[in-house]
Amino acid sequence: MDTIEDPEGIDPKNACKVDVNVNSYFNTRDGRKVYNRGRIISLIIDLEQYAVIDLEKDIFREGYFWDSNQRANFWIVKGPHLTYKLTSDGEFL
C-alpha cells in the first residue's frame, strides 16, 4: 500500500492506495457455469475508516460475485517473498 498525496474526500494522512488482484474464477448463475475474468482493481481508502468487509463490498460493486459455497480470500503481498492472508482490519496498517 502506498501513501497518497491528495485523495478526494479522504484525510491525506490516512489515505492509501490498495491494488486488489482478482483472479479469474468460475461460479454458477441461474444453473449455468459462468467464467469471471480477473483484473486488478485499484482503490483509495482511508485506513482509519476502512474494514475488510468494505473491501468485499467494493469488489462486489466492481461486478465480481461468488456462490454461497465460495469465499473471497484476501492476501497481502509485501516484497518479493512475504505473503500472508488478510484476516483482520488491523492488518491494513
Side-chain angles (χ1 to χ4, degrees), residues 9-28:
I10 296 176
D11 182 351
K13 293 176 187 171
N14 300 328
C16 283
K17 178 182 176 193
V18 175
D19 290 326
V20 180
N21 182 6
V22 179
N23 292 322
S24 300
Y25 64 97
F26 284 97
N27 71 346
T28 305

Side-chain angles (χ1 to χ4, degrees), residues 27-34 67:
N27 71 346
T28 305
R29 277 190 222 148
D30 300 324
R32 295 179 303 129
K33 196 172 194 178
V34 177
D67 290 333

Side-chain angles (χ1 to χ4, degrees), residues 33-60:
K33 196 172 194 178
V34 177
Y35 176 75
N36 296 279
R37 185 179 184 149
R39 69 182 174 99
I40 294 176
I41 299 170
S42 294
L43 305 166
I44 297 176
I45 66 168
D46 183 330
L47 287 176
E48 290 191 3
Q49 307 272 329
Y50 206 76
V52 175
I53 191 70
D54 297 321
L55 187 57
E56 288 189 19
K57 290 176 184 177
D58 285 341
I59 300 302
F60 187 79

Side-chain angles (χ1 to χ4, degrees), residues 52 71 73-76 84-92:
V52 175
R71 289 182 46 195
N73 290 299
F74 299 102
W75 295 83
I76 295 177
Y84 59 94
K85 189 173 182 177
L86 177 64
T87 57
S88 71
D89 299 338
E91 291 174 333
F92 275 121

